Amino acid sequence: MKIQNYINGGFVNPIQNNWIDNYNPSNGEIYGQIPNSSSKDVELAYESAKKAFPSWSKMTLEHRSRILIKISELLEANLEQFAAAESKDNGKPLSLAKKIDIPRAASNFRFFGNAITQFASESHESIGQGAINYTLRQPIGVVGCISPWNLPLYLFTWKIAPAIAAGNCVVAKPSEITPMTAYLLGEICTKAGLPKGVLNIVHGLGTTTGQVIVAHPDIKAISFTGGTATGAHIARVAAPMFKKLSLELGGKNPNIIFADCDYDDMLETSVRSSFTNQGQICLCGSRIFVEASIYNRFKKDFVEKVKQLKVGHPSDASTNIGALVSKPHLEKVAEYIEIAKEENGKVLCGGEIVTVKGSENGYYLQPTVIEVPTDECRVNQEEIFGPVVTIMPFNTEEEVLEMANKVKYGLSTTLWTNDLKRTMRMSTQLQSGIVWVNTWMMRDLRTPFGGVKASGVGREGGFEALRFFTEAKNVCIKYE
Ligand code: TXE
């Protein structure tokens, strides 16, 4: 099937009639084509967004909110269709798409539909000077949203929902590797009564379509989630144009396990934090550090549990690990397993490409646990973004803190301990945008979300996102 761009409330072919193949990772087959949009398509999308902006930005909050909530309801009503499309496009288990991806996309619209009605600005009385200041929070205009392939609709809507809630109009590009649910979203938006031009979805490669969005002189803010190298490139293009930038990039997150934790809970959650979505979540805890006194016990129990995970076709209900997103990505992840071996890492389980019966050309890999001799090896430092984790022991809090912080990334950390003082001490010192204590990926959409160091700049979520998608203007009135 051919999908189209969603511009000015309707579906259109790319002007230059350029197309890219879309692969089904579960069997390696091409199952559709998507536009490889050029600057002409992006311009069309921009013009339609620009035209929609004056009335959208002045629509009452109640009305705007109602439309966002309607989009959320329609996503929920079409859960099966969206989950099936997401699973087919990405290779993730259908059960995961149904439980996490699509419900969360719906929550994103509902959350920001509600949040905008509560978003308030400050006023400052200048006592002694006879003046009052108030802050206007005004939408920016036309903004760009660019999202990756690992949580396609989840992350696409995580950007779009706050952008339009705040009164902006959007030119958005999903990953060319997973465009399907973004395509389906267009129809839902029309049905929900989103005025035409408020959201425009252009499909295409990062280096062509994405690049044009980022470099467009009148798209004044860019919200991007993806690889760190791409984020750095985007910053180089956008910074001299003084665009607002929100960059959510890679991670190499530590999972730090102290002997005094609730062991069973830790064990079960550590399997999830390692391998959910084939390990393709920027928040996965890919570096596991275990206190020496329980290291051997953990190693045995963890490996046993990981071996029980079933690699299989995404639509099979018993599948825990589906296909990786693409052939190049599978090759990249498999290459890291070889690098680990060269660096004297010991593969405790997994490590092999899997052939799934009936889907022999799909991109499957066993969940892999590697015991590493040092935290400085490449597999412990570089983002692999697949079903591969490293484990190693530590002796002291100081030692593990140093290892946790000794990577270029700083997105999230999971800490397993029942020692309150240690929790507080470590949370203040970890170089990480998020610290989960005795849990993983527990999300409250009101909280600031984002990373430090090479994991990006800016925060998404809650009012942080609404602040990003608005310009603050100070109005100072002298009354005396
Ligand atoms: O992402 P890219 P890729 C990490 C992970 C992965 C690596 C590369 O380690 O192996 O990044 O993945 C668009 N201007 N993450 O190559 O290229 C692109 O079309 C504008 C972490 O797939 O960063 C897509 O829509 N846009 C991550 C989006 O950027 C450009 C999730 C992301 O693609 C562009 C995914 C350009 N020059 C991968 N080049 C996370 N943080 O969750 C590409 N794009």
Side-chain angles (χ1 to χ4, degrees), residues 264-286:
D264 292 342
D265 188 12
M266 173 280 293
L267 189 65
E268 187 268 327
T269 308
S270 292
V271 174
R272 278 197 305 116
S273 66
S274 301
F275 299 112
T276 300
N277 205 39
Q278 296 69 247
Q280 301 167 143
I281 305 181
C282 51
L283 304 166
C284 279
S286 54

Side-chain angles (χ1 to χ4, degrees), residues 57-284:
S57 57
K58 291 193 182 69
M59 184 182 275
T60 64
L61 293 184
E62 193 191 344
H63 194 173
R64 240 191 256 160
S65 166
R66 220 182 304 138
I67 293 172
L68 267 87
I69 289 167
K70 185 73 192 163
I71 297 173
S72 165
E73 288 166 357
L74 288 172
L75 279 172
E76 279 163 355
N78 291 281
L79 172 82
E80 298 289 332
Q81 182 203 14
F82 272 82
E86 200 74 297
S87 170
K88 185 173 181 179
D89 217 16
N90 171 280
K92 69 177 70 214
L94 178 60
S95 56
L96 187 74
K98 269 191 205 171
K99 197 170 141 217
I100 305 284
D101 292 77
I102 309 307
R104 172 58 191 274
S107 296
N108 289 339
F109 280 107
R110 175 168 287 112
F111 176 84
F112 284 107
N114 287 318
I116 195 63
T117 66
Q118 306 298 314
F119 189 44
S121 62
E122 295 165 321
S123 73
H124 303 84
E125 190 181 2
S126 304
I127 295 167
Q129 292 177 286
I132 185 136
N133 291 270
Y134 64 90
T135 307
L136 284 175
R137 281 267 163 198
Q138 296 177 305
I140 297 167
V142 180
V143 300
C145 298
I146 299 178
S147 61
W149 46 258
N150 58 333
L151 301 165
L153 193 66
Y154 176 131
L155 290 175
F156 194 57
T157 55
W158 179 233
K159 299 180 178 305
I160 290 168
I164 62 177
N168 300 284
C169 293
V170 176
V171 176
K173 191 192 90 63
S175 169
E176 63 276 23
I177 304 171
T178 52
M180 271 313 292
T181 46
Y183 168 66
L184 297 174
L185 179 68
E187 204 179 316
I188 294 268
C189 289
T190 302
K191 272 195 191 142
L194 188 72
K196 53 188 186 181
V198 174
L199 172 63
N200 303 276
I201 303 171
V202 283
H203 297 273
L205 298 175
T207 45
T208 51
T209 319
Q211 176 78 21
V212 175
I213 296 173
V214 173
H216 195 291
D218 297 314
I219 297 180
K220 298 286 185 200
I222 302 290
S223 175
F224 169 82
T225 299
T228 292
T230 314
H233 173 80
I234 288 175
R236 277 194 294 275
V237 176
M241 301 169 89
F242 307 109
K243 296 192 181 200
K244 271 187 121 176
L245 269 183
S246 171
L247 302 173
E248 295 298 333
L249 312 175
K252 188 73 184 176
N253 311 303
N255 179 10
I256 302 172
I257 299 165
F258 283 93
D260 71 344
C261 69
D262 293 335
Y263 188 84
D264 292 342
D265 188 12
M266 173 280 293
L267 189 65
E268 187 268 327
T269 308
S270 292
V271 174
R272 278 197 305 116
S273 66
S274 301
F275 299 112
T276 300
N277 205 39
Q278 296 69 247
Q280 301 167 143
I281 305 181
C282 51
L283 304 166
C284 279

Side-chain angles (χ1 to χ4, degrees), residues 11-32:
F11 288 99
V12 288
N13 283 339
I15 292 167
Q16 292 182 336
N17 210 24
N18 246 328
W19 301 85
I20 318 167
D21 291 335
N22 189 17
Y23 287 81
N24 176 344
S26 77
N27 59 20
E29 283 168 16
I30 294 169
Y31 80 102

Side-chain angles (χ1 to χ4, degrees), residues 139 141 145 149 151 174 182 196 202 236 241 251 289 336 346 356 403 421 432 439 445 470:
C145 298
W149 46 258
L151 301 165
K196 53 188 186 181
V202 283
R236 277 194 294 275
M241 301 169 89
F289 297 106
Y336 269 106
K346 189 168 159 201
V356 171
M403 292 194 294
K421 287 183 180 167
S432 175
T439 185
L445 302 189
T470 49

